[in-house]
PDB file of all heavy atoms in Angstrom:
ATOM      1  N   SER A 326       2.128 -32.677   7.592  1.00  0.00           N
ATOM      2  CA  SER A 326       3.092 -33.567   6.938  1.00  0.00           C
ATOM      3  C   SER A 326       2.358 -34.449   5.937  1.00  0.00           C
ATOM      4  O   SER A 326       1.125 -34.496   5.932  1.00  0.00           O
ATOM      5  CB  SER A 326       3.760 -34.440   7.991  1.00  0.00           C
ATOM      6  OG  SER A 326       2.794 -35.325   8.554  1.00  0.00           O
ATOM      7  N   PRO A 327       3.102 -35.177   5.094  1.00  0.00           N
ATOM      8  CA  PRO A 327       2.426 -36.058   4.136  1.00  0.00           C
ATOM      9  C   PRO A 327       1.593 -37.171   4.777  1.00  0.00           C
ATOM     10  O   PRO A 327       0.865 -37.872   4.072  1.00  0.00           O
ATOM     11  CB  PRO A 327       3.604 -36.646   3.335  1.00  0.00           C
ATOM     12  CG  PRO A 327       4.665 -35.621   3.430  1.00  0.00           C
ATOM     13  CD  PRO A 327       4.542 -35.065   4.805  1.00  0.00           C
ATOM     14  N   GLU A 328       1.652 -37.308   6.100  1.00  0.00           N
ATOM     15  CA  GLU A 328       0.721 -38.226   6.771  1.00  0.00           C
ATOM     16  C   GLU A 328      -0.715 -37.821   6.448  1.00  0.00           C
ATOM     17  O   GLU A 328      -1.627 -38.656   6.429  1.00  0.00           O
ATOM     18  CB  GLU A 328       0.886 -38.152   8.294  1.00  0.00           C
ATOM     19  CG  GLU A 328       2.218 -38.599   8.841  1.00  0.00           C
ATOM     20  CD  GLU A 328       2.392 -38.209  10.308  1.00  0.00           C
ATOM     21  OE1 GLU A 328       1.452 -37.616  10.888  1.00  0.00           O
ATOM     22  OE2 GLU A 328       3.474 -38.475  10.867  1.00  0.00           O
ATOM     23  N   PHE A 329      -0.897 -36.525   6.217  1.00  0.00           N
ATOM     24  CA  PHE A 329      -2.236 -35.974   6.012  1.00  0.00           C
ATOM     25  C   PHE A 329      -2.654 -35.950   4.547  1.00  0.00           C
ATOM     26  O   PHE A 329      -3.748 -35.508   4.217  1.00  0.00           O
ATOM     27  CB  PHE A 329      -2.316 -34.556   6.600  1.00  0.00           C
ATOM     28  CG  PHE A 329      -2.299 -34.520   8.091  1.00  0.00           C
ATOM     29  CD1 PHE A 329      -1.095 -34.597   8.796  1.00  0.00           C
ATOM     30  CD2 PHE A 329      -3.470 -34.414   8.823  1.00  0.00           C
ATOM     31  CE1 PHE A 329      -1.061 -34.577  10.189  1.00  0.00           C
ATOM     32  CE2 PHE A 329      -3.449 -34.388  10.222  1.00  0.00           C
ATOM     33  CZ  PHE A 329      -2.248 -34.467  10.900  1.00  0.00           C
ATOM     34  N   LEU A 330      -1.778 -36.381   3.672  1.00  0.00           N
ATOM     35  CA  LEU A 330      -2.177 -36.576   2.272  1.00  0.00           C
ATOM     36  C   LEU A 330      -1.201 -37.549   1.660  1.00  0.00           C
ATOM     37  O   LEU A 330      -0.079 -37.174   1.282  1.00  0.00           O
ATOM     38  CB  LEU A 330      -2.169 -35.263   1.483  1.00  0.00           C
ATOM     39  CG  LEU A 330      -2.558 -35.475   0.017  1.00  0.00           C
ATOM     40  CD1 LEU A 330      -4.003 -35.958  -0.093  1.00  0.00           C
ATOM     41  CD2 LEU A 330      -2.393 -34.195  -0.796  1.00  0.00           C
ATOM     42  N   TRP A 331      -1.646 -38.776   1.586  1.00  0.00           N
ATOM     43  CA  TRP A 331      -0.800 -39.821   1.021  1.00  0.00           C
ATOM     44  C   TRP A 331      -1.442 -40.297  -0.274  1.00  0.00           C
ATOM     45  O   TRP A 331      -2.475 -39.779  -0.715  1.00  0.00           O
ATOM     46  CB  TRP A 331      -0.652 -40.968   2.042  1.00  0.00           C
ATOM     47  CG  TRP A 331       0.512 -41.850   1.782  1.00  0.00           C
ATOM     48  CD1 TRP A 331       0.498 -43.188   1.493  1.00  0.00           C
ATOM     49  CD2 TRP A 331       1.884 -41.476   1.789  1.00  0.00           C
ATOM     50  NE1 TRP A 331       1.762 -43.656   1.299  1.00  0.00           N
ATOM     51  CE2 TRP A 331       2.640 -42.625   1.474  1.00  0.00           C
ATOM     52  CE3 TRP A 331       2.573 -40.268   2.010  1.00  0.00           C
ATOM     53  CZ2 TRP A 331       4.036 -42.621   1.400  1.00  0.00           C
ATOM     54  CZ3 TRP A 331       3.952 -40.255   1.935  1.00  0.00           C
ATOM     55  CH2 TRP A 331       4.667 -41.424   1.625  1.00  0.00           C
ATOM     56  N   GLN A 332      -0.788 -41.272  -0.888  1.00  0.00           N
ATOM     57  CA  GLN A 332      -1.367 -41.842  -2.096  1.00  0.00           C
ATOM     58  C   GLN A 332      -1.342 -43.355  -1.934  1.00  0.00           C
ATOM     59  O   GLN A 332      -0.287 -43.939  -1.673  1.00  0.00           O
ATOM     60  CB  GLN A 332      -0.562 -41.404  -3.334  1.00  0.00           C
ATOM     61  CG  GLN A 332      -0.779 -39.927  -3.651  1.00  0.00           C
ATOM     62  CD  GLN A 332       0.278 -39.326  -4.576  1.00  0.00           C
ATOM     63  OE1 GLN A 332       1.472 -39.555  -4.415  1.00  0.00           O
ATOM     64  NE2 GLN A 332      -0.169 -38.560  -5.543  1.00  0.00           N
ATOM     65  N   ASP A 333      -2.528 -43.969  -2.100  1.00  0.00           N
ATOM     66  CA  ASP A 333      -2.641 -45.408  -1.822  1.00  0.00           C
ATOM     67  C   ASP A 333      -1.626 -46.250  -2.563  1.00  0.00           C
ATOM     68  O   ASP A 333      -1.195 -47.297  -2.082  1.00  0.00           O
ATOM     69  CB  ASP A 333      -4.054 -45.900  -2.165  1.00  0.00           C
ATOM     70  CG  ASP A 333      -5.002 -45.732  -0.982  1.00  0.00           C
ATOM     71  OD1 ASP A 333      -4.566 -45.171   0.048  1.00  0.00           O
ATOM     72  OD2 ASP A 333      -6.151 -46.165  -1.074  1.00  0.00           O
ATOM     73  N   PHE A 334      -1.244 -45.774  -3.756  1.00  0.00           N
ATOM     74  CA  PHE A 334      -0.353 -46.627  -4.535  1.00  0.00           C
ATOM     75  C   PHE A 334       1.096 -46.491  -4.080  1.00  0.00           C
ATOM     76  O   PHE A 334       1.966 -47.227  -4.515  1.00  0.00           O
ATOM     77  CB  PHE A 334      -0.470 -46.317  -6.026  1.00  0.00           C
ATOM     78  CG  PHE A 334      -0.143 -44.880  -6.379  1.00  0.00           C
ATOM     79  CD1 PHE A 334       1.177 -44.449  -6.503  1.00  0.00           C
ATOM     80  CD2 PHE A 334      -1.154 -43.957  -6.591  1.00  0.00           C
ATOM     81  CE1 PHE A 334       1.474 -43.132  -6.830  1.00  0.00           C
ATOM     82  CE2 PHE A 334      -0.867 -42.641  -6.919  1.00  0.00           C
ATOM     83  CZ  PHE A 334       0.458 -42.225  -7.036  1.00  0.00           C
ATOM     84  N   LYS A 335       1.369 -45.530  -3.161  1.00  0.00           N
ATOM     85  CA  LYS A 335       2.737 -45.376  -2.665  1.00  0.00           C
ATOM     86  C   LYS A 335       2.956 -46.261  -1.447  1.00  0.00           C
ATOM     87  O   LYS A 335       2.102 -46.361  -0.567  1.00  0.00           O
ATOM     88  CB  LYS A 335       2.973 -43.927  -2.224  1.00  0.00           C
ATOM     89  CG  LYS A 335       3.382 -42.986  -3.330  1.00  0.00           C
ATOM     90  CD  LYS A 335       3.342 -41.547  -2.835  1.00  0.00           C
ATOM     91  CE  LYS A 335       4.582 -41.149  -2.043  1.00  0.00           C
ATOM     92  NZ  LYS A 335       5.744 -40.864  -2.894  1.00  0.00           N
ATOM     93  N   ALA A 336       4.128 -46.817  -1.374  1.00  0.00           N
ATOM     94  CA  ALA A 336       4.474 -47.582  -0.180  1.00  0.00           C
ATOM     95  C   ALA A 336       4.823 -46.613   0.943  1.00  0.00           C
ATOM     96  O   ALA A 336       5.208 -45.479   0.697  1.00  0.00           O
ATOM     97  CB  ALA A 336       5.679 -48.472  -0.483  1.00  0.00           C
ATOM     98  N   LYS A 337       4.710 -47.076   2.187  1.00  0.00           N
ATOM     99  CA  LYS A 337       5.096 -46.228   3.332  1.00  0.00           C
ATOM    100  C   LYS A 337       6.584 -45.936   3.263  1.00  0.00           C
ATOM    101  O   LYS A 337       7.353 -46.720   2.717  1.00  0.00           O
ATOM    102  CB  LYS A 337       4.818 -46.975   4.645  1.00  0.00           C
ATOM    103  CG  LYS A 337       3.490 -46.698   5.252  1.00  0.00           C
ATOM    104  CD  LYS A 337       3.586 -46.829   6.788  1.00  0.00           C
ATOM    105  CE  LYS A 337       2.241 -46.939   7.432  1.00  0.00           C
ATOM    106  NZ  LYS A 337       1.757 -48.251   7.730  1.00  0.00           N
ATOM    107  N   THR A 338       7.001 -44.797   3.827  1.00  0.00           N
ATOM    108  CA  THR A 338       8.429 -44.477   3.879  1.00  0.00           C
ATOM    109  C   THR A 338       8.861 -44.364   5.340  1.00  0.00           C
ATOM    110  O   THR A 338       8.043 -44.423   6.240  1.00  0.00           O
ATOM    111  CB  THR A 338       8.717 -43.149   3.169  1.00  0.00           C
ATOM    112  OG1 THR A 338       8.086 -42.105   3.902  1.00  0.00           O
ATOM    113  CG2 THR A 338       8.216 -43.155   1.745  1.00  0.00           C
ATOM    114  N   ASN A 339      10.129 -44.134   5.531  1.00  0.00           N
ATOM    115  CA  ASN A 339      10.684 -44.035   6.881  1.00  0.00           C
ATOM    116  C   ASN A 339      10.065 -42.922   7.700  1.00  0.00           C
ATOM    117  O   ASN A 339       9.833 -43.051   8.890  1.00  0.00           O
ATOM    118  CB  ASN A 339      12.199 -43.775   6.804  1.00  0.00           C
ATOM    119  CG  ASN A 339      12.960 -45.060   6.591  1.00  0.00           C
ATOM    120  OD1 ASN A 339      12.470 -46.135   6.913  1.00  0.00           O
ATOM    121  ND2 ASN A 339      14.162 -44.944   6.051  1.00  0.00           N
ATOM    122  N   GLU A 340       9.857 -41.801   7.037  1.00  0.00           N
ATOM    123  CA  GLU A 340       9.404 -40.632   7.790  1.00  0.00           C
ATOM    124  C   GLU A 340       7.909 -40.694   8.071  1.00  0.00           C
ATOM    125  O   GLU A 340       7.449 -40.247   9.108  1.00  0.00           O
ATOM    126  CB  GLU A 340       9.675 -39.344   6.999  1.00  0.00           C
ATOM    127  CG  GLU A 340      11.136 -39.091   6.686  1.00  0.00           C
ATOM    128  CD  GLU A 340      11.637 -39.916   5.531  1.00  0.00           C
ATOM    129  OE1 GLU A 340      10.820 -40.207   4.633  1.00  0.00           O
ATOM    130  OE2 GLU A 340      12.819 -40.267   5.525  1.00  0.00           O
ATOM    131  N   VAL A 341       7.151 -41.242   7.117  1.00  0.00           N
ATOM    132  CA  VAL A 341       5.706 -41.210   7.264  1.00  0.00           C
ATOM    133  C   VAL A 341       5.273 -42.477   7.989  1.00  0.00           C
ATOM    134  O   VAL A 341       5.073 -43.525   7.385  1.00  0.00           O
ATOM    135  CB  VAL A 341       5.023 -41.086   5.881  1.00  0.00           C
ATOM    136  CG1 VAL A 341       3.524 -41.054   6.034  1.00  0.00           C
ATOM    137  CG2 VAL A 341       5.521 -39.835   5.192  1.00  0.00           C
ATOM    138  N   LYS A 342       5.161 -42.353   9.301  1.00  0.00           N
ATOM    139  CA  LYS A 342       4.917 -43.539  10.129  1.00  0.00           C
ATOM    140  C   LYS A 342       3.439 -43.895  10.223  1.00  0.00           C
ATOM    141  O   LYS A 342       3.076 -44.992  10.604  1.00  0.00           O
ATOM    142  CB  LYS A 342       5.472 -43.304  11.537  1.00  0.00           C
ATOM    143  CG  LYS A 342       6.999 -43.155  11.544  1.00  0.00           C
ATOM    144  CD  LYS A 342       7.518 -42.968  12.955  1.00  0.00           C
ATOM    145  CE  LYS A 342       9.025 -42.973  13.132  1.00  0.00           C
ATOM    146  NZ  LYS A 342       9.894 -42.785  11.997  1.00  0.00           N
TER     147      LYS A 342
END
Side-chain angles (χ1 to χ4, degrees):
Chain A
S326 67
E328 296 168 1
F329 289 82
L330 179 65
W331 199 242
Q332 289 163 316
D333 272 4
F334 59 80
K335 275 170 81 78
K337 267 210 196 96
T338 66
N339 278 337
E340 299 79 31
V341 180
K342 295 182 173 17

